[in-house]
């Protein structure tokens, strides 16, 4: 199902996006079959989508819990000596 949605998006993108249109036309001419070119453009869209999602995913800062010390105790020795 994901492949068919990406191919459908690739068809639209190859009409309106100049760079993808150029790549689609080049692949269609080289391969002689438009289906291969559509799937190749769909893959390009999937890679772009993945990279955008990776950029948008920011690590969530840890929230201090109630009752936790203000200063970290990691690394401090518990022995009095």
């Amino acid at each position: 199902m994901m492949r068919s949605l990406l191919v459908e998006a690739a068809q639209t993108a190859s009409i309106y996006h100049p760079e993808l249109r150029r790549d689609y036309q080049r692949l269609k001419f080289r391969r002689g079959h438009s289906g291969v070119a559509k799937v190749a453009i769909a893959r390009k869209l999937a890679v772009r989508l993945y990279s955008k999602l990776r950029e948008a995913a920011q690590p969530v800062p840890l929230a201090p819990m109630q009752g936790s010390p203000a200063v970290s105790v990691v690394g401090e020795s518990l022995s009095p000596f």
Side-chain angles (χ1 to χ4, degrees):
M1 180 170 169
M2 189 66 155
R3 178 179 170 167
S4 62
L5 291 174
L6 282 170
V7 169
E8 190 173 333
Q11 288 175 340
T12 304
S14 65
I15 294 170
Y16 294 109
H17 194 275
E19 180 185 339
L20 293 176
R21 182 182 327 134
R22 186 174 49 247
D23 288 342
Y24 174 76
Q25 293 296 333
R26 181 180 54 86
L27 286 168
K28 186 176 159 185
F29 177 75
R30 271 184 31 206
R31 294 291 187 176
H33 183 61
S34 64
V36 174
K38 288 177 189 175
V39 173
I41 300 301
R43 185 178 186 281
K44 281 184 179 254
L45 286 177
V47 169
R48 287 182 180 188
L49 177 63
Y50 178 76
S51 66
K52 290 290 184 183
L53 289 174
R54 289 280 304 218
E55 285 177 9
Q58 297 293 327
V60 178
L62 297 176
M65 295 177 60
Q66 186 177 11
S68 63
V71 180
S72 177
V73 293
V74 176
E76 292 181 11
S77 176
L78 296 177
S79 65
F81 303 108

